[in-house]
Short mmCIF file of all heavy atoms in Angstrom, two decimals:
data_model
loop_
_atom_site.label_atom_id
_atom_site.label_comp_id
_atom_site.label_asym_id
_atom_site.label_seq_id
_atom_site.Cartn_x
_atom_site.Cartn_y
_atom_site.Cartn_z
N ALA A 1 7.95 -27.15 4.47
CA ALA A 1 7.00 -26.00 4.46
C ALA A 1 5.64 -26.40 3.82
O ALA A 1 4.56 -26.05 4.35
CB ALA A 1 7.60 -24.80 3.65
N ASN A 2 5.69 -27.12 2.70
CA ASN A 2 4.50 -27.62 2.11
C ASN A 2 3.71 -28.51 3.01
O ASN A 2 2.51 -28.55 2.94
CB ASN A 2 4.80 -28.24 0.73
CG ASN A 2 3.55 -28.30 -0.19
OD1 ASN A 2 2.84 -27.27 -0.32
ND2 ASN A 2 3.30 -29.50 -0.79
N TRP A 3 4.34 -29.28 3.75
CA TRP A 3 3.66 -30.21 4.82
C TRP A 3 2.92 -29.30 5.66
O TRP A 3 1.79 -29.61 6.05
CB TRP A 3 4.83 -30.99 5.50
CG TRP A 3 4.31 -31.92 6.54
CD1 TRP A 3 3.68 -33.14 6.34
CD2 TRP A 3 4.30 -31.73 7.93
NE1 TRP A 3 3.36 -33.66 7.51
CE2 TRP A 3 3.72 -32.80 8.58
CE3 TRP A 3 4.89 -30.70 8.77
CZ2 TRP A 3 3.58 -32.88 10.03
CZ3 TRP A 3 4.74 -30.81 10.12
CH2 TRP A 3 4.06 -31.83 10.74
N HIS A 4 3.48 -28.25 6.08
CA HIS A 4 2.83 -27.26 7.04
C HIS A 4 1.58 -26.74 6.42
O HIS A 4 0.49 -26.65 6.93
CB HIS A 4 3.67 -26.15 7.55
CG HIS A 4 4.67 -26.57 8.69
ND1 HIS A 4 4.30 -27.01 9.93
CD2 HIS A 4 6.08 -26.68 8.61
CE1 HIS A 4 5.31 -27.28 10.56
NE2 HIS A 4 6.38 -27.11 9.83
N VAL A 5 1.67 -26.35 5.07
CA VAL A 5 0.57 -25.88 4.39
C VAL A 5 -0.55 -26.88 4.30
O VAL A 5 -1.68 -26.62 4.60
CB VAL A 5 0.91 -25.43 3.01
CG1 VAL A 5 -0.33 -25.19 2.08
CG2 VAL A 5 1.87 -24.32 2.97
N ASN A 6 -0.19 -28.17 4.06
CA ASN A 6 -1.16 -29.28 4.06
C ASN A 6 -1.79 -29.52 5.37
O ASN A 6 -2.94 -30.07 5.50
CB ASN A 6 -0.54 -30.49 3.49
CG ASN A 6 -0.23 -30.32 2.03
OD1 ASN A 6 -0.87 -29.64 1.28
ND2 ASN A 6 0.81 -31.09 1.58
N ARG A 7 -1.12 -29.13 6.48
CA ARG A 7 -1.66 -29.27 7.85
C ARG A 7 -2.35 -28.03 8.22
O ARG A 7 -2.72 -27.81 9.46
CB ARG A 7 -0.55 -29.58 8.78
CG ARG A 7 0.12 -30.92 8.61
CD ARG A 7 1.19 -31.31 9.65
NE ARG A 7 0.87 -30.93 11.04
CZ ARG A 7 0.14 -31.62 11.88
NH1 ARG A 7 -0.32 -32.83 11.53
NH2 ARG A 7 -0.08 -31.07 13.08
N ASP A 8 -2.65 -27.14 7.30
CA ASP A 8 -3.40 -25.88 7.64
C ASP A 8 -2.64 -24.89 8.52
O ASP A 8 -3.17 -24.33 9.48
CB ASP A 8 -4.76 -26.15 8.19
CG ASP A 8 -5.71 -24.96 8.07
OD1 ASP A 8 -5.46 -24.15 7.12
OD2 ASP A 8 -6.70 -24.82 8.83
N GLU A 9 -1.25 -24.96 8.37
CA GLU A 9 -0.37 -24.16 9.04
C GLU A 9 0.48 -23.23 8.11
O GLU A 9 1.75 -23.27 8.21
CB GLU A 9 0.48 -24.95 9.96
CG GLU A 9 -0.17 -25.80 10.87
CD GLU A 9 0.73 -26.75 11.58
OE1 GLU A 9 1.88 -27.09 11.04
OE2 GLU A 9 0.41 -27.33 12.57
N PRO A 10 -0.11 -22.50 7.09
CA PRO A 10 0.57 -21.85 6.22
C PRO A 10 1.54 -20.67 6.81
O PRO A 10 2.57 -20.41 6.22
CB PRO A 10 -0.44 -21.17 5.28
CG PRO A 10 -1.72 -21.04 6.11
CD PRO A 10 -1.63 -22.28 7.04
N ASP A 11 1.11 -20.13 7.96
CA ASP A 11 1.97 -19.13 8.62
C ASP A 11 3.32 -19.75 9.02
O ASP A 11 4.34 -19.00 9.11
CB ASP A 11 1.22 -18.53 9.79
CG ASP A 11 0.75 -19.61 10.75
OD1 ASP A 11 0.24 -20.63 10.43
OD2 ASP A 11 0.92 -19.39 12.05
N ARG A 12 3.38 -21.06 9.29
CA ARG A 12 4.69 -21.66 9.59
C ARG A 12 5.48 -22.00 8.39
O ARG A 12 6.61 -22.24 8.44
CB ARG A 12 4.40 -22.97 10.47
CG ARG A 12 3.73 -22.60 11.88
CD ARG A 12 3.68 -23.80 12.63
NE ARG A 12 4.93 -24.26 13.00
CZ ARG A 12 5.22 -25.43 13.66
NH1 ARG A 12 4.13 -26.23 14.04
NH2 ARG A 12 6.30 -25.77 14.00
N ALA A 13 4.72 -22.15 7.26
CA ALA A 13 5.40 -22.53 6.01
C ALA A 13 6.16 -21.35 5.31
O ALA A 13 7.17 -21.54 4.79
CB ALA A 13 4.29 -23.04 5.00
N VAL A 14 5.55 -20.14 5.41
CA VAL A 14 6.05 -18.93 4.71
C VAL A 14 7.64 -18.73 5.02
O VAL A 14 8.39 -18.55 4.22
CB VAL A 14 5.29 -17.67 4.97
CG1 VAL A 14 5.95 -16.40 4.48
CG2 VAL A 14 3.90 -17.87 4.23
N PRO A 15 8.06 -18.73 6.35
CA PRO A 15 9.52 -18.51 6.60
C PRO A 15 10.34 -19.56 6.00
O PRO A 15 11.45 -19.27 5.53
CB PRO A 15 9.46 -18.52 8.15
CG PRO A 15 8.20 -18.22 8.61
CD PRO A 15 7.26 -18.78 7.60
N LEU A 16 9.92 -20.82 5.99
CA LEU A 16 10.70 -21.95 5.39
C LEU A 16 10.87 -21.72 3.89
O LEU A 16 11.90 -21.84 3.31
CB LEU A 16 10.07 -23.26 5.75
CG LEU A 16 10.07 -23.59 7.27
CD1 LEU A 16 9.25 -24.90 7.49
CD2 LEU A 16 11.42 -23.78 7.74
N HIS A 17 9.69 -21.39 3.26
CA HIS A 17 9.72 -21.10 1.72
C HIS A 17 10.67 -19.92 1.52
O HIS A 17 11.40 -19.94 0.50
CB HIS A 17 8.42 -20.79 1.18
CG HIS A 17 7.53 -22.06 1.00
ND1 HIS A 17 7.95 -23.20 0.54
CD2 HIS A 17 6.21 -22.30 1.40
CE1 HIS A 17 7.01 -24.11 0.54
NE2 HIS A 17 5.91 -23.55 1.08
N GLU A 18 10.57 -18.80 2.26
CA GLU A 18 11.40 -17.65 2.07
C GLU A 18 12.92 -18.03 2.30
O GLU A 18 13.79 -17.54 1.50
CB GLU A 18 11.03 -16.61 3.13
CG GLU A 18 9.76 -15.95 2.74
CD GLU A 18 9.21 -15.00 3.79
OE1 GLU A 18 9.74 -15.07 5.02
OE2 GLU A 18 8.43 -14.15 3.56
N GLU A 19 13.21 -18.94 3.17
CA GLU A 19 14.68 -19.39 3.31
C GLU A 19 15.03 -20.23 2.08
O GLU A 19 16.19 -20.01 1.56
CB GLU A 19 14.86 -20.15 4.64
CG GLU A 19 16.30 -20.61 4.79
CD GLU A 19 16.54 -21.40 6.11
OE1 GLU A 19 15.61 -21.40 6.93
OE2 GLU A 19 17.64 -21.98 6.15
N ALA A 20 14.23 -21.09 1.63
CA ALA A 20 14.53 -21.77 0.42
C ALA A 20 14.74 -20.91 -0.78
O ALA A 20 15.59 -21.09 -1.61
CB ALA A 20 13.41 -22.79 0.13
N LEU A 21 13.86 -19.83 -0.87
CA LEU A 21 14.01 -18.86 -1.93
C LEU A 21 15.34 -18.16 -1.92
O LEU A 21 15.93 -17.98 -2.95
CB LEU A 21 12.85 -17.89 -1.95
CG LEU A 21 12.80 -16.84 -3.05
CD1 LEU A 21 12.71 -17.54 -4.37
CD2 LEU A 21 11.65 -15.85 -2.79
N SER A 22 15.74 -17.80 -0.77
CA SER A 22 17.06 -17.09 -0.54
C SER A 22 18.16 -17.98 -1.04
O SER A 22 19.09 -17.46 -1.73
CB SER A 22 17.16 -16.69 0.87
OG SER A 22 18.46 -16.13 1.07
N ARG A 23 18.14 -19.20 -0.69
CA ARG A 23 19.15 -20.19 -1.10
C ARG A 23 19.11 -20.45 -2.59
O ARG A 23 20.27 -20.50 -3.16
CB ARG A 23 19.01 -21.52 -0.28
CG ARG A 23 19.30 -21.27 1.14
CD ARG A 23 19.13 -22.57 1.93
NE ARG A 23 19.27 -22.36 3.33
CZ ARG A 23 19.83 -23.16 4.19
NH1 ARG A 23 20.24 -24.44 3.66
NH2 ARG A 23 19.88 -23.04 5.34
N PHE A 24 18.01 -20.59 -3.16
CA PHE A 24 17.93 -20.79 -4.71
C PHE A 24 18.37 -19.53 -5.34
O PHE A 24 19.03 -19.57 -6.39
CB PHE A 24 16.49 -21.14 -5.12
CG PHE A 24 16.13 -22.56 -4.80
CD1 PHE A 24 15.01 -22.93 -4.12
CD2 PHE A 24 16.90 -23.64 -5.32
CE1 PHE A 24 14.66 -24.18 -3.84
CE2 PHE A 24 16.50 -24.92 -5.09
CZ PHE A 24 15.44 -25.18 -4.31
N ARG A 25 18.03 -18.34 -4.86
CA ARG A 25 18.53 -17.11 -5.50
C ARG A 25 20.06 -16.97 -5.46
O ARG A 25 20.62 -16.51 -6.36
CB ARG A 25 17.87 -15.88 -4.82
CG ARG A 25 16.36 -15.67 -5.24
CD ARG A 25 15.96 -14.28 -4.70
NE ARG A 25 14.51 -14.13 -4.75
CZ ARG A 25 13.77 -13.83 -5.83
NH1 ARG A 25 14.31 -13.74 -7.03
NH2 ARG A 25 12.48 -13.68 -5.69
N ALA A 26 20.57 -17.36 -4.35
CA ALA A 26 22.09 -17.32 -4.16
C ALA A 26 22.74 -18.25 -5.17
O ALA A 26 23.94 -17.95 -5.57
CB ALA A 26 22.47 -17.71 -2.71
N ARG A 27 22.11 -19.21 -5.58
CA ARG A 27 22.69 -20.22 -6.46
C ARG A 27 22.19 -19.93 -7.99
O ARG A 27 22.60 -20.62 -8.90
CB ARG A 27 22.42 -21.72 -6.18
CG ARG A 27 22.97 -22.16 -4.97
CD ARG A 27 22.42 -23.45 -4.47
NE ARG A 27 23.08 -24.01 -3.34
CZ ARG A 27 22.96 -23.65 -2.11
NH1 ARG A 27 22.14 -22.65 -1.81
NH2 ARG A 27 23.66 -24.11 -1.07
N ASP A 28 21.37 -18.89 -8.07
CA ASP A 28 20.78 -18.56 -9.38
C ASP A 28 20.13 -19.74 -10.12
O ASP A 28 20.29 -20.01 -11.22
CB ASP A 28 21.84 -17.95 -10.36
CG ASP A 28 21.18 -17.20 -11.53
OD1 ASP A 28 20.16 -16.82 -11.35
OD2 ASP A 28 21.94 -17.27 -12.55
N ASP A 29 19.40 -20.57 -9.23
CA ASP A 29 18.72 -21.80 -9.68
C ASP A 29 17.29 -21.35 -10.14
O ASP A 29 16.39 -21.27 -9.29
CB ASP A 29 18.74 -22.76 -8.54
CG ASP A 29 17.99 -24.10 -8.88
OD1 ASP A 29 17.20 -24.14 -9.86
OD2 ASP A 29 18.27 -25.14 -8.29
N ARG A 30 17.06 -21.06 -11.37
CA ARG A 30 15.82 -20.57 -11.89
C ARG A 30 14.62 -21.47 -11.71
O ARG A 30 13.56 -21.13 -11.33
CB ARG A 30 15.98 -20.20 -13.35
CG ARG A 30 16.86 -18.96 -13.69
CD ARG A 30 17.00 -18.81 -15.06
NE ARG A 30 15.77 -18.65 -15.82
CZ ARG A 30 15.18 -17.47 -16.17
NH1 ARG A 30 15.79 -16.32 -15.78
NH2 ARG A 30 14.06 -17.26 -16.75
N ALA A 31 14.89 -22.76 -11.80
CA ALA A 31 13.77 -23.75 -11.60
C ALA A 31 13.45 -23.81 -10.06
O ALA A 31 12.25 -23.80 -9.74
CB ALA A 31 14.23 -25.19 -12.11
N GLY A 32 14.49 -23.77 -9.27
CA GLY A 32 14.19 -23.82 -7.81
C GLY A 32 13.51 -22.53 -7.41
O GLY A 32 12.63 -22.55 -6.54
N ILE A 33 13.88 -21.40 -7.93
CA ILE A 33 13.26 -20.07 -7.68
C ILE A 33 11.78 -20.09 -8.05
O ILE A 33 10.87 -19.75 -7.23
CB ILE A 33 14.02 -19.02 -8.36
CG1 ILE A 33 15.42 -18.82 -7.69
CG2 ILE A 33 13.27 -17.65 -8.22
CD1 ILE A 33 16.30 -17.88 -8.46
N ALA A 34 11.51 -20.56 -9.26
CA ALA A 34 10.14 -20.62 -9.77
C ALA A 34 9.33 -21.50 -8.94
O ALA A 34 8.13 -21.27 -8.54
CB ALA A 34 10.14 -21.07 -11.24
N ASP A 35 9.73 -22.71 -8.60
CA ASP A 35 8.96 -23.67 -7.75
C ASP A 35 8.65 -23.03 -6.42
O ASP A 35 7.60 -23.13 -5.92
CB ASP A 35 9.74 -24.95 -7.62
CG ASP A 35 9.67 -25.78 -8.77
OD1 ASP A 35 8.92 -25.60 -9.70
OD2 ASP A 35 10.48 -26.75 -8.82
#
């Protein structure tokens, strides 16, 4: 997702970050959630 942001494609990055957030929340990984 960050690669997409760096390529000026933030709209493609958001869904990937949201999926990552969901996975980190499911694991209660506070560092992963914060990042």
Side-chain angles (χ1 to χ4, degrees):
N2 199 45
W3 179 79
H4 283 294
V5 168
N6 290 333
R7 291 182 43 85
D8 198 26
E9 302 169 340
D11 54 318
R12 295 186 68 189
V14 170
L16 296 171
H17 285 313
E18 288 173 340
E19 184 177 345
L21 181 61
S22 176
R23 292 178 185 214
F24 283 125
R25 286 193 195 279
R27 290 173 177 75
D28 196 31
D29 181 337
R30 291 176 56 96
I33 293 167
D35 286 343

